[in-house]
Amino acid sequence: MKVLQSISLKKVMQYAKPYQSRLYMVVVFAVTLSVFAALRPYLLKQTIDAYLKVHDKEGLLYYIGLMAAVLTLEVASQFYFTYWASWLGQDIVKDIREKLFRHITKFRMKYFDLEPVGKLVTRSVTDIESIASIFSQGLFMIVSDLMKMVVVLGIMFYMNWKLSCIVVLGMPILVYATRVFQQKMKVAFEEVRNQVAALNTFVQERVTGMKIVQLFNREEIELEKFKEINSLHNKAWLKNILYNSIFFPIADILSSLTLGLVVWYGGWNIMNGDTMTSFGDLFAYTMLISMLFNPLRQIADKFNVMQMGIIAAERVFEVLDKDELIQDSGAIVAGHFKGDIEFKDVRFSYIKGEEVLKGINLKVKAGETIAIVGATGAGKSTIINLLNRFYEIDSGSIIVDGSNINEFDLDSLRRQIAIVLQDVFLFADTISNNITLNNPDISREDVIAAAQKIGAHDFIMSLPNGYDYNVKERGVMLSSGQRQLIAFLRAYVSNPSILILDEATSSIDTYSEELIQKATETITKGRTSIVIAHRLATVINADKIIVMDKGQIVEEGKHYELISKAEGYYKNLYESQFAVENN
């Protein structure tokens, strides 16, 4: 664990390289802060022994002015040290956060299938912020405090080695207590981070699925589950509180006892005529002991902060080190495809050993509209996931315009393929931005022209602010049919070579279906289109219908060809669906 933490800290420090000049300035201010802070008690001693004792008013005023100047420099050093350290930490965190987000967007879909969303949110937000504390409240503060302690000890022994020995006697106990406290807090912090991730995951899922929670009257059940998770989170924090409640009183008692011993021993020596100890020493030591013990006491707390930041860094780097990226070694930049597609003996499994596609062979000619039908779980949607390279096939090949899709640059490949899904995802943004996805190459005029062409313009203009209407999170302000039209527009304005419609009309009303049928005719015209359909009435006019069952193609042909097959799979599927719709 120590090795991992050391590695994580080194990785974090790698991000400080672009800011080396700022890092050096932090070190400089840490040194000046230590010197000026430790210099004040020494000046106080000199003031008392050399001027106050002999009633030298001029010398007293001079030293008071000198102490004021040192205090001013100490305050300035403290300001710049704190500001630059925090500034450095925030810039490092900004760079790590950007790298993490970029990394996550390149992951295979399989990673998102297995990882809870709440966990990734925790890594990207909460854990990243904890890394910033390594710099603002942890590492540099510890270095500064250690420097201050070294300077303070040096001044102590220079002033009075006997009193300094008394001070040093109590330090091993505090160091040992600090070490034990640090180890206990490390375990406690790890538990806190785990519970925070569990809490985030639970809340994120329930808030997202609140409609299901309320629809099935699960409010009380989910509340009880939340109470269990929240209780574990509470217990984890209580351990932190307990350890703090034990350690800090011990540190305060040791500091007070040391101060008491120094005052007693020094005062006894003064009364016995020991010239090595002066009243100035006693006054200075009351400040120096505090300056020595308080940093040591605070170092434990700062170690905890740094520990929490390092643990958070371990979690973030665990995601950054994940080898879940889609292989993007293709050298061909895809231009506008003609649209010839071929699947050659394609086999695929989401879980090893459980094949979803079992040797698919399929040809789609440029400009052709094909429909893929079949029961749920037949493998229809998997085909389009593979065409977009959301997942990597187990064996076989997928060819577009004569080239394997692995040979294409991934970004350029996906720019030529547009998908309209059944479950449309809209961002909490304007209708215009949800259509263009902030692509600067698509103008407002292009959006309006496309909306007029596919029949969505009127409904958009009926909304407050029209194209600037904010649809809120996941598009909750729109009906399912309206969201579907936005998805069609999004696909249309991207001008794809290949269009995929995945169950695009399965959950909308009759009026919306008419609009979407019109949109479908417009958007598929002149381009290769693959339509995955549950309602067979929507694919009757397709150039070719592919019928799938249990990961295999069992039939293919035009509607009239398939419907004429006695005991054909498609015919039975069509007739059973037709009978249900008519009842």
Side-chain angles (χ1 to χ4, degrees):
M1 183 60 72
K2 289 181 181 178
V3 174
L4 286 175
Q5 290 184 350
S6 176
I7 292 172
S8 296
L9 184 57
K10 285 180 181 178
K11 285 183 178 179
V12 171
M13 292 307 296
Q14 291 294 316
Y15 288 87
K17 285 185 176 180
Y19 312 103
Q20 278 190 347
S21 59
R22 207 182 305 168
L23 181 61
Y24 294 146
M25 291 304 296
V26 171
V27 174
V28 168
F29 286 122
V31 172
T32 58
L33 176 60
S34 304
V35 172
F36 291 133
L39 195 56
R40 280 190 295 111
Y42 179 74
L43 291 175
L44 178 62
K45 165 194 161 50
Q46 293 297 102
T47 303
I48 292 171
D49 290 342
Y51 301 103
L52 191 61
K53 192 174 180 180
V54 297
H55 303 285
D56 185 346
K57 294 180 180 179
E58 290 184 5
L60 178 63
L61 288 174
Y62 171 76
Y63 259 76
I64 288 174
L66 191 59
M67 282 193 289
V70 169
L71 179 61
T72 302
L73 291 170
E74 181 188 349
V75 170
S77 298
Q78 179 73 57
F79 169 77
Y80 284 109
F81 169 73
T82 304
Y83 179 78
W84 284 60
S86 298
W87 182 18
L88 176 63
Q90 287 301 320
D91 276 352
I92 288 172
V93 159
K94 175 179 68 69
D95 293 344
I96 295 175
R97 185 185 286 117
E98 287 177 1
K99 184 175 181 179
L100 179 65
F101 186 79
R102 187 186 299 113
H103 193 65
I104 289 174
T105 60
K106 300 293 184 182
F107 279 165
R108 300 183 181 98
M109 284 297 114
K110 187 176 181 179
Y111 180 82
F112 299 103
D113 294 340
L114 301 174
E115 288 293 332
V117 174
K119 178 180 174 181
L120 291 176
V121 171
T122 301
R123 299 292 177 270
S124 303
V125 182
T126 310
D127 287 337
I128 289 282
E129 284 302 320
S130 294
I131 294 174
S133 64
I134 293 177
F135 299 92
S136 61
Q137 302 171 47
L139 180 63
F140 294 140
M141 291 294 183
I142 291 171
V143 171
S144 175
D145 285 343
L146 289 173
M147 286 182 179
K148 190 183 295 183
M149 289 170 64
V150 169
V151 175
V152 166
L153 275 172
I155 289 177
M156 277 184 169
F157 276 96
Y158 175 75
M159 287 169 50
N160 191 312
W161 68 269
K162 289 182 179 180
L163 295 181
S164 299
C165 287
I166 294 174
V167 174
V168 171
L169 285 175
M171 290 190 67
I173 301 172
L174 187 55
V175 170
Y176 175 75
T178 301
R179 181 60 181 162
V180 172
F181 176 65
Q182 179 193 347
Q183 291 173 341
K184 294 289 184 182
M185 289 300 288
K186 181 175 94 49
V187 175
F189 276 136
E190 286 178 347
E191 190 173 342
V192 166
R193 300 312 308 158
N194 288 331
Q195 294 307 324
V196 167
L199 197 62
N200 283 347
T201 299
F202 184 89
V203 172
Q204 191 274 334
E205 286 182 347
R206 269 58 184 184
V207 170
T208 303
M210 188 56 68
K211 185 180 289 185
I212 300 299
V213 171
Q214 294 183 356
L215 185 64
F216 289 92
N217 300 315
R218 291 187 57 85
E219 293 92 338
E220 292 302 319
I221 296 172
E222 297 301 333
L223 177 60
E224 290 304 315
K225 289 183 178 179
F226 179 78
K227 284 180 179 178
E228 290 178 17
I229 297 172
N230 197 34
S231 178
L232 291 172
H233 179 261
N234 177 255
K235 287 177 182 176
W237 270 113
L238 284 175
K239 283 185 181 179
N240 283 268
I241 295 169
L242 175 63
Y243 297 145
N244 279 293
S245 301
I246 294 171
F247 173 75
F248 290 112
I250 291 174
D252 288 338
I253 289 169
L254 284 171
S255 176
S256 299
L257 286 173
T258 302
L259 178 58
L261 284 171
V262 166
V263 171
W264 171 78
Y265 182 75
W268 181 268
N269 286 344
I270 291 172
M271 286 188 291
N272 285 307
D274 184 355
T275 57
M276 285 187 63
T277 306
S278 67
F279 283 107
D281 288 337
L282 294 183
F283 273 96
Y285 268 73
T286 57
M287 294 179 66
L288 289 168
I289 288 171
S290 176
M291 293 173 67
L292 185 65
F293 277 78
N294 279 350
L296 189 58
R297 174 184 182 276
Q298 291 166 5
I299 279 175
D301 199 29
K302 288 163 187 172
F303 257 118
N304 295 335
V305 172
M306 192 172 77
Q307 197 103 319
M308 203 163 187
I310 292 174
I311 291 169
E314 286 176 18
R315 294 170 181 274
V316 170
F317 289 124
E318 181 187 343
V319 178
L320 281 170
D321 293 339
K322 287 281 186 185
D323 186 20
E324 293 289 346
L325 301 181
I326 302 168
Q327 296 302 313
D328 186 15
S329 56
I332 303 174
V333 176
H336 199 76
F337 289 139
K338 289 190 300 180
D340 289 317
I341 303 170
E342 184 177 2
F343 282 65
K344 292 183 177 180
D345 195 27
V346 172
R347 295 181 176 275
F348 172 75
S349 53
Y350 292 103
I351 301 172
K352 191 173 181 179
E354 299 179 17
E355 278 193 337
V356 176
L357 297 184
K358 305 171 183 177
I360 296 295
N361 289 287
L362 170 65
K363 284 187 178 181
V364 184
K365 295 178 182 177
E368 195 173 45
T369 296
I370 72 159
I372 303 177
V373 302
T376 301
K380 306 185 297 295
S381 295
T382 300
I383 285 180
I384 64 170
N385 285 334
L386 298 181
L387 183 59
N388 277 277
R389 292 197 61 204
F390 289 145
Y391 300 88
E392 300 294 343
I393 61 177
D394 296 341
S395 63
S397 58
I398 303 174
I399 310 298
V400 176
D401 285 358
S403 297
N404 191 302
I405 59 171
N406 292 334
E407 297 174 1
F408 290 107
D409 169 75
L410 187 60
D411 288 343
S412 66
L413 171 70
R414 288 179 175 172
R415 276 196 293 269
Q416 297 305 316
I417 303 173
I419 304 179
V420 180
L421 299 170
Q422 175 187 356
D423 183 18
V424 178
F425 187 93
L426 299 182
F427 296 95
D429 205 339
T430 64
I431 285 181
S432 178
N433 287 341
N434 268 292
I435 293 169
T436 64
L437 296 178
N438 296 300
N439 184 343
D441 296 330
I442 303 173
S443 67
R444 176 63 66 92
E445 291 72 25
D446 294 334
V447 172
I448 293 173
Q452 289 172 335
K453 202 164 186 179
I454 71 169
H457 180 71
D458 291 341
F459 110 74
I460 294 174
M461 292 307 297
S462 69
L463 298 170
N465 299 322
Y467 288 87
D468 294 317
Y469 179 68
N470 193 309
V471 301
K472 305 301 181 184
E473 189 174 359
R474 299 181 69 89
V476 294
M477 303 305 291
L478 303 178
S479 69
S480 59
Q482 290 171 332
R483 290 196 295 270
Q484 201 67 261
L485 282 171
I486 298 299
F488 269 86
L489 261 173
R490 180 189 287 171
Y492 189 45
V493 297
S494 68
N495 191 29
S497 308
I498 298 169
L499 176 70
I500 298 169
L501 307 179
D502 186 4
E503 304 279 12
T505 61
S506 63
S507 58
I508 55 176
D509 56 75
T510 305
Y511 174 72
S512 296
E513 185 177 356
E514 290 175 1
L515 287 175
I516 287 173
Q517 286 294 349
K518 177 186 175 183
T520 302
E521 291 172 9
T522 303
I523 198 172
T524 57
K525 191 174 182 180
R527 58 171 54 92
T528 303
S529 303
I530 300 174
V531 181
I532 295 176
H534 175 70
R535 299 174 64 182
L536 302 185
T538 62
V539 299
I540 289 175
N541 297 321
D543 296 316
K544 183 165 58 176
I545 298 173
I546 307 297
V547 186
M548 294 189 66
D549 183 42
K550 297 177 181 178
Q552 296 178 309
I553 295 175
V554 292
E555 292 177 349
E556 61 179 283
K558 290 185 176 292
H559 172 73
Y560 69 86
E561 296 172 344
L562 297 174
I563 206 72
S564 64
K565 287 185 179 181
E567 299 301 319
Y569 189 98
Y570 178 82
K571 180 180 180 181
N572 291 335
L573 199 64
Y574 182 81
E575 288 178 350
S576 61
Q577 191 175 106
F578 184 76
V580 169
E581 291 178 355
N582 279 281
N583 283 335

